[in-house]
Short mmCIF file of all heavy atoms in Angstrom, two decimals:
data_model
loop_
_atom_site.label_atom_id
_atom_site.label_comp_id
_atom_site.label_asym_id
_atom_site.label_seq_id
_atom_site.Cartn_x
_atom_site.Cartn_y
_atom_site.Cartn_z
N SER A 510 32.06 54.02 -26.98
CA SER A 510 31.72 52.96 -27.93
C SER A 510 31.36 53.54 -29.29
O SER A 510 31.20 52.79 -30.26
CB SER A 510 30.56 52.10 -27.40
OG SER A 510 29.38 52.87 -27.26
N ASN A 511 31.23 54.86 -29.39
CA ASN A 511 31.06 55.50 -30.68
C ASN A 511 32.29 55.35 -31.57
O ASN A 511 32.20 55.58 -32.78
CB ASN A 511 30.75 56.99 -30.49
CG ASN A 511 29.29 57.26 -30.25
OD1 ASN A 511 28.49 57.35 -31.18
ND2 ASN A 511 28.91 57.39 -28.98
N ALA A 512 33.42 55.00 -30.98
CA ALA A 512 34.63 54.81 -31.77
C ALA A 512 35.33 53.49 -31.47
O ALA A 512 35.91 52.88 -32.37
CB ALA A 512 35.61 55.97 -31.53
N PHE A 513 35.28 53.05 -30.20
CA PHE A 513 36.09 51.91 -29.77
C PHE A 513 35.29 50.62 -29.69
O PHE A 513 34.13 50.61 -29.28
CB PHE A 513 36.67 52.17 -28.38
CG PHE A 513 37.83 53.13 -28.34
CD1 PHE A 513 37.62 54.50 -28.37
CD2 PHE A 513 39.13 52.65 -28.28
CE1 PHE A 513 38.69 55.39 -28.33
CE2 PHE A 513 40.21 53.53 -28.24
CZ PHE A 513 39.99 54.90 -28.27
N ARG A 514 35.93 49.52 -30.06
CA ARG A 514 35.51 48.20 -29.65
C ARG A 514 36.21 47.85 -28.34
O ARG A 514 37.20 48.49 -27.97
CB ARG A 514 35.86 47.15 -30.72
CG ARG A 514 34.95 47.16 -31.95
CD ARG A 514 35.55 46.29 -33.02
NE ARG A 514 34.62 45.97 -34.10
CZ ARG A 514 34.39 46.76 -35.15
NH1 ARG A 514 35.00 47.93 -35.24
NH2 ARG A 514 33.54 46.39 -36.11
N LEU A 515 35.70 46.81 -27.67
CA LEU A 515 36.23 46.42 -26.36
C LEU A 515 36.67 44.97 -26.37
O LEU A 515 35.94 44.09 -26.83
CB LEU A 515 35.17 46.62 -25.28
CG LEU A 515 35.50 46.09 -23.88
CD1 LEU A 515 36.61 46.93 -23.24
CD2 LEU A 515 34.26 46.07 -23.01
N GLY A 516 37.86 44.72 -25.84
CA GLY A 516 38.32 43.35 -25.62
C GLY A 516 38.69 43.17 -24.16
O GLY A 516 39.47 43.95 -23.61
N ILE A 517 38.12 42.15 -23.51
CA ILE A 517 38.45 41.80 -22.13
C ILE A 517 39.27 40.52 -22.15
O ILE A 517 38.91 39.57 -22.86
CB ILE A 517 37.18 41.59 -21.28
CG1 ILE A 517 36.30 42.84 -21.28
CG2 ILE A 517 37.55 41.18 -19.85
CD1 ILE A 517 36.84 43.98 -20.49
N ILE A 518 40.35 40.48 -21.40
CA ILE A 518 41.19 39.28 -21.32
C ILE A 518 41.17 38.79 -19.88
O ILE A 518 41.43 39.57 -18.95
CB ILE A 518 42.63 39.57 -21.78
CG1 ILE A 518 42.63 40.20 -23.17
CG2 ILE A 518 43.45 38.28 -21.77
CD1 ILE A 518 44.01 40.67 -23.62
N GLY A 519 40.86 37.52 -19.69
CA GLY A 519 40.78 37.00 -18.33
C GLY A 519 41.06 35.50 -18.28
O GLY A 519 41.72 34.95 -19.16
N ASP A 520 40.51 34.87 -17.27
CA ASP A 520 40.72 33.44 -17.06
C ASP A 520 39.64 32.67 -17.82
O ASP A 520 39.25 33.07 -18.92
CB ASP A 520 40.71 33.13 -15.56
CG ASP A 520 41.53 31.89 -15.21
OD1 ASP A 520 41.65 30.98 -16.05
OD2 ASP A 520 42.04 31.82 -14.08
N GLN A 521 39.09 31.62 -17.26
CA GLN A 521 38.12 30.78 -17.96
C GLN A 521 36.80 31.51 -18.18
O GLN A 521 36.41 32.40 -17.41
CB GLN A 521 37.86 29.50 -17.17
CG GLN A 521 39.01 28.52 -17.16
CD GLN A 521 38.68 27.30 -16.32
OE1 GLN A 521 39.40 26.97 -15.39
NE2 GLN A 521 37.59 26.62 -16.64
N ILE A 522 36.10 31.06 -19.21
CA ILE A 522 34.76 31.57 -19.46
C ILE A 522 33.82 31.12 -18.35
O ILE A 522 33.11 31.93 -17.75
CB ILE A 522 34.24 31.09 -20.83
CG1 ILE A 522 35.05 31.76 -21.94
CG2 ILE A 522 32.75 31.36 -20.99
CD1 ILE A 522 34.70 31.28 -23.32
N ASP A 523 33.84 29.84 -18.06
CA ASP A 523 33.00 29.28 -17.01
C ASP A 523 33.61 27.94 -16.57
O ASP A 523 34.54 27.44 -17.20
CB ASP A 523 31.56 29.09 -17.50
CG ASP A 523 30.53 29.14 -16.38
OD1 ASP A 523 30.93 29.00 -15.19
OD2 ASP A 523 29.34 29.31 -16.68
N ARG A 524 33.06 27.38 -15.54
CA ARG A 524 33.56 26.11 -15.02
C ARG A 524 33.49 25.03 -16.10
O ARG A 524 32.46 24.80 -16.73
CB ARG A 524 32.74 25.70 -13.79
CG ARG A 524 33.24 24.46 -13.07
CD ARG A 524 32.42 24.20 -11.83
NE ARG A 524 32.73 25.16 -10.76
CZ ARG A 524 31.97 26.22 -10.46
NH1 ARG A 524 30.85 26.46 -11.14
NH2 ARG A 524 32.32 27.04 -9.49
N GLY A 525 34.62 24.36 -16.35
CA GLY A 525 34.66 23.29 -17.35
C GLY A 525 34.75 23.76 -18.78
O GLY A 525 34.80 22.94 -19.70
N ASP A 526 34.77 25.08 -19.01
CA ASP A 526 34.82 25.64 -20.36
C ASP A 526 36.24 26.15 -20.63
O ASP A 526 36.68 27.11 -20.02
CB ASP A 526 33.81 26.78 -20.49
CG ASP A 526 33.66 27.27 -21.93
OD1 ASP A 526 34.59 27.04 -22.73
OD2 ASP A 526 32.62 27.88 -22.24
N TYR A 527 36.92 25.49 -21.56
CA TYR A 527 38.29 25.89 -21.88
C TYR A 527 38.41 26.43 -23.30
O TYR A 527 39.49 26.45 -23.88
CB TYR A 527 39.24 24.71 -21.69
CG TYR A 527 39.53 24.42 -20.23
CD1 TYR A 527 38.77 23.48 -19.53
CD2 TYR A 527 40.53 25.10 -19.55
CE1 TYR A 527 39.02 23.22 -18.19
CE2 TYR A 527 40.79 24.85 -18.21
CZ TYR A 527 40.04 23.91 -17.53
OH TYR A 527 40.29 23.66 -16.20
N THR A 528 37.29 26.90 -23.88
CA THR A 528 37.38 27.56 -25.17
C THR A 528 38.13 28.87 -25.02
O THR A 528 38.28 29.40 -23.91
CB THR A 528 35.98 27.81 -25.76
OG1 THR A 528 35.17 28.50 -24.80
CG2 THR A 528 35.30 26.51 -26.14
N THR A 529 38.60 29.40 -26.14
CA THR A 529 39.52 30.54 -26.07
C THR A 529 38.81 31.88 -25.96
O THR A 529 39.49 32.91 -25.79
CB THR A 529 40.42 30.58 -27.31
OG1 THR A 529 39.60 30.60 -28.50
CG2 THR A 529 41.32 29.36 -27.35
N GLY A 530 37.49 31.92 -26.04
CA GLY A 530 36.83 33.21 -25.89
C GLY A 530 35.40 33.18 -26.37
O GLY A 530 34.85 32.15 -26.77
N VAL A 531 34.80 34.36 -26.32
CA VAL A 531 33.42 34.54 -26.76
C VAL A 531 33.29 35.98 -27.25
O VAL A 531 33.97 36.88 -26.74
CB VAL A 531 32.43 34.23 -25.62
CG1 VAL A 531 32.64 35.16 -24.44
CG2 VAL A 531 30.99 34.29 -26.10
N ALA A 532 32.44 36.19 -28.25
CA ALA A 532 32.34 37.53 -28.83
C ALA A 532 30.94 37.76 -29.39
O ALA A 532 30.21 36.81 -29.69
CB ALA A 532 33.37 37.72 -29.93
N LEU A 533 30.59 39.02 -29.54
CA LEU A 533 29.37 39.42 -30.23
C LEU A 533 29.70 39.61 -31.70
O LEU A 533 30.52 40.47 -32.05
CB LEU A 533 28.82 40.73 -29.65
CG LEU A 533 28.40 40.70 -28.18
CD1 LEU A 533 28.02 42.11 -27.72
CD2 LEU A 533 27.23 39.76 -27.96
N VAL A 534 29.09 38.82 -32.57
CA VAL A 534 29.35 38.93 -34.00
C VAL A 534 28.72 40.21 -34.53
O VAL A 534 27.52 40.43 -34.40
CB VAL A 534 28.79 37.71 -34.76
CG1 VAL A 534 28.99 37.89 -36.27
CG2 VAL A 534 29.47 36.44 -34.29
N GLY A 535 29.55 41.06 -35.13
CA GLY A 535 29.04 42.30 -35.69
C GLY A 535 28.71 43.35 -34.66
O GLY A 535 28.09 44.37 -34.99
N ASP A 536 29.11 43.15 -33.41
CA ASP A 536 28.93 44.19 -32.40
C ASP A 536 30.31 44.50 -31.81
O ASP A 536 31.33 44.13 -32.39
CB ASP A 536 27.92 43.76 -31.35
CG ASP A 536 27.26 44.94 -30.64
OD1 ASP A 536 27.89 46.00 -30.51
OD2 ASP A 536 26.11 44.78 -30.20
N SER A 537 30.37 45.12 -30.65
CA SER A 537 31.60 45.78 -30.24
C SER A 537 32.34 45.19 -29.04
O SER A 537 33.14 45.89 -28.43
CB SER A 537 31.29 47.26 -29.94
OG SER A 537 30.89 47.94 -31.10
N ALA A 538 32.12 43.95 -28.67
CA ALA A 538 32.80 43.42 -27.49
C ALA A 538 33.17 41.95 -27.67
O ALA A 538 32.44 41.18 -28.31
CB ALA A 538 31.94 43.59 -26.25
N PHE A 539 34.31 41.58 -27.06
CA PHE A 539 34.72 40.18 -27.04
C PHE A 539 35.50 39.91 -25.76
O PHE A 539 36.00 40.83 -25.09
CB PHE A 539 35.55 39.82 -28.27
CG PHE A 539 36.87 40.56 -28.41
CD1 PHE A 539 38.04 40.06 -27.84
CD2 PHE A 539 36.94 41.74 -29.13
CE1 PHE A 539 39.25 40.72 -27.97
CE2 PHE A 539 38.15 42.42 -29.27
CZ PHE A 539 39.30 41.90 -28.69
N PHE A 540 35.58 38.64 -25.41
CA PHE A 540 36.33 38.18 -24.25
C PHE A 540 37.32 37.12 -24.70
O PHE A 540 36.95 36.20 -25.45
CB PHE A 540 35.40 37.60 -23.19
CG PHE A 540 36.11 36.99 -22.00
CD1 PHE A 540 36.55 37.79 -20.95
CD2 PHE A 540 36.35 35.62 -21.94
CE1 PHE A 540 37.21 37.23 -19.86
CE2 PHE A 540 37.01 35.06 -20.86
CZ PHE A 540 37.44 35.87 -19.81
N VAL A 541 38.57 37.23 -24.27
CA VAL A 541 39.58 36.23 -24.57
C VAL A 541 39.94 35.50 -23.28
O VAL A 541 40.26 36.13 -22.26
CB VAL A 541 40.85 36.87 -25.17
CG1 VAL A 541 41.96 35.83 -25.32
CG2 VAL A 541 40.53 37.50 -26.52
N ALA A 542 39.86 34.18 -23.31
CA ALA A 542 40.15 33.36 -22.13
C ALA A 542 41.62 32.97 -22.14
O ALA A 542 42.03 32.00 -22.79
CB ALA A 542 39.26 32.12 -22.12
N ASN A 543 42.42 33.73 -21.41
CA ASN A 543 43.85 33.43 -21.28
C ASN A 543 44.01 32.43 -20.15
O ASN A 543 44.61 32.70 -19.11
CB ASN A 543 44.63 34.72 -21.01
CG ASN A 543 46.14 34.51 -21.02
OD1 ASN A 543 46.62 33.43 -21.33
ND2 ASN A 543 46.88 35.55 -20.68
N ASN A 544 43.46 31.24 -20.38
CA ASN A 544 43.41 30.21 -19.34
C ASN A 544 44.63 29.30 -19.44
O ASN A 544 45.59 29.59 -20.15
CB ASN A 544 42.11 29.42 -19.43
CG ASN A 544 41.88 28.85 -20.82
OD1 ASN A 544 42.78 28.27 -21.42
ND2 ASN A 544 40.66 29.02 -21.35
N ASP A 545 44.57 28.18 -18.72
CA ASP A 545 45.72 27.27 -18.68
C ASP A 545 46.03 26.63 -20.02
O ASP A 545 47.10 26.03 -20.19
CB ASP A 545 45.49 26.18 -17.63
CG ASP A 545 45.45 26.73 -16.21
OD1 ASP A 545 45.98 27.84 -16.01
OD2 ASP A 545 44.88 26.07 -15.32
N GLN A 546 45.10 26.74 -20.98
CA GLN A 546 45.34 26.15 -22.29
C GLN A 546 46.17 27.07 -23.19
O GLN A 546 46.64 26.65 -24.24
CB GLN A 546 44.00 25.85 -22.98
CG GLN A 546 43.07 24.97 -22.15
CD GLN A 546 43.67 23.62 -21.83
OE1 GLN A 546 44.11 22.91 -22.73
NE2 GLN A 546 43.70 23.26 -20.55
N ILE A 547 46.33 28.33 -22.79
CA ILE A 547 47.15 29.28 -23.54
C ILE A 547 48.56 29.24 -22.97
O ILE A 547 48.78 29.64 -21.82
CB ILE A 547 46.57 30.70 -23.45
CG1 ILE A 547 45.14 30.75 -24.00
CG2 ILE A 547 47.47 31.69 -24.19
CD1 ILE A 547 45.03 30.53 -25.47
N ASP A 548 49.50 28.76 -23.76
CA ASP A 548 50.87 28.54 -23.27
C ASP A 548 51.86 29.63 -23.68
O ASP A 548 52.88 29.81 -23.01
CB ASP A 548 51.39 27.19 -23.76
CG ASP A 548 50.58 26.02 -23.22
OD1 ASP A 548 50.16 26.09 -22.06
OD2 ASP A 548 50.37 25.06 -23.98
N THR A 549 51.59 30.32 -24.78
CA THR A 549 52.56 31.28 -25.29
C THR A 549 51.90 32.61 -25.61
O THR A 549 50.68 32.71 -25.77
CB THR A 549 53.23 30.76 -26.57
OG1 THR A 549 52.25 30.71 -27.63
CG2 THR A 549 53.82 29.37 -26.35
N ASP A 550 52.74 33.64 -25.73
CA ASP A 550 52.22 34.95 -26.09
C ASP A 550 51.67 34.95 -27.51
O ASP A 550 50.71 35.68 -27.81
CB ASP A 550 53.34 36.00 -25.95
CG ASP A 550 52.81 37.42 -25.98
OD1 ASP A 550 51.92 37.73 -25.17
OD2 ASP A 550 53.29 38.21 -26.81
N GLU A 551 52.24 34.14 -28.37
CA GLU A 551 51.74 34.05 -29.74
C GLU A 551 50.34 33.44 -29.77
O GLU A 551 49.49 33.84 -30.58
CB GLU A 551 52.69 33.22 -30.61
CG GLU A 551 54.01 33.89 -30.94
CD GLU A 551 54.97 33.91 -29.75
OE1 GLU A 551 54.76 33.10 -28.80
OE2 GLU A 551 55.91 34.72 -29.76
N GLN A 552 50.08 32.46 -28.91
CA GLN A 552 48.74 31.89 -28.84
C GLN A 552 47.72 32.92 -28.36
O GLN A 552 46.61 33.01 -28.88
CB GLN A 552 48.74 30.66 -27.93
CG GLN A 552 49.44 29.45 -28.51
CD GLN A 552 49.40 28.25 -27.57
OE1 GLN A 552 49.22 28.39 -26.36
NE2 GLN A 552 49.59 27.06 -28.12
N LEU A 553 48.11 33.71 -27.37
CA LEU A 553 47.22 34.77 -26.89
C LEU A 553 46.97 35.79 -27.99
O LEU A 553 45.84 36.24 -28.19
CB LEU A 553 47.82 35.45 -25.66
CG LEU A 553 47.03 36.62 -25.07
CD1 LEU A 553 45.62 36.20 -24.68
CD2 LEU A 553 47.76 37.22 -23.87
N ARG A 554 48.01 36.14 -28.71
CA ARG A 554 47.88 37.06 -29.85
C ARG A 554 46.86 36.55 -30.85
O ARG A 554 45.96 37.28 -31.30
CB ARG A 554 49.24 37.23 -30.51
CG ARG A 554 49.26 38.10 -31.76
CD ARG A 554 50.51 37.82 -32.58
NE ARG A 554 50.52 36.44 -33.10
CZ ARG A 554 51.53 35.90 -33.76
NH1 ARG A 554 52.65 36.61 -33.95
NH2 ARG A 554 51.46 34.65 -34.21
N ASN A 555 46.98 35.27 -31.22
CA ASN A 555 46.05 34.69 -32.20
C ASN A 555 44.64 34.62 -31.66
O ASN A 555 43.66 34.81 -32.41
CB ASN A 555 46.53 33.30 -32.61
CG ASN A 555 47.71 33.34 -33.56
OD1 ASN A 555 48.52 34.26 -33.52
ND2 ASN A 555 47.83 32.33 -34.41
N ALA A 556 44.50 34.34 -30.36
CA ALA A 556 43.16 34.29 -29.76
C ALA A 556 42.51 35.67 -29.78
O ALA A 556 41.30 35.80 -30.01
CB ALA A 556 43.25 33.77 -28.32
#
């Protein structure tokens, strides 16, 4: 973590939550929810 940020890509954040992800603002980690609402590779790229 002295050099890298981290991105995790998975399914839903939680039950009933279909937002595209969650992240630490100004810190080094984020999660992208590649759930049923993501239909294309371009959408995943933008997320």
Side-chain angles (χ1 to χ4, degrees):
S510 63
N511 275 277
F513 284 81
R514 284 169 167 84
L515 172 69
I517 302 288
I518 306 173
D520 207 331
Q521 289 179 236
I522 291 175
D523 207 343
R524 186 176 287 102
D526 188 338
Y527 285 93
T528 53
T529 56
V531 61
L533 297 174
V534 176
D536 204 330
S537 295
F539 63 89
F540 175 83
V541 173
N543 187 5
N544 53 47
D545 293 340
Q546 305 300 307
I547 301 291
D548 297 323
T549 68
D550 194 54
E551 289 75 19
Q552 288 181 338
L553 178 58
R554 177 199 65 186
N555 284 30

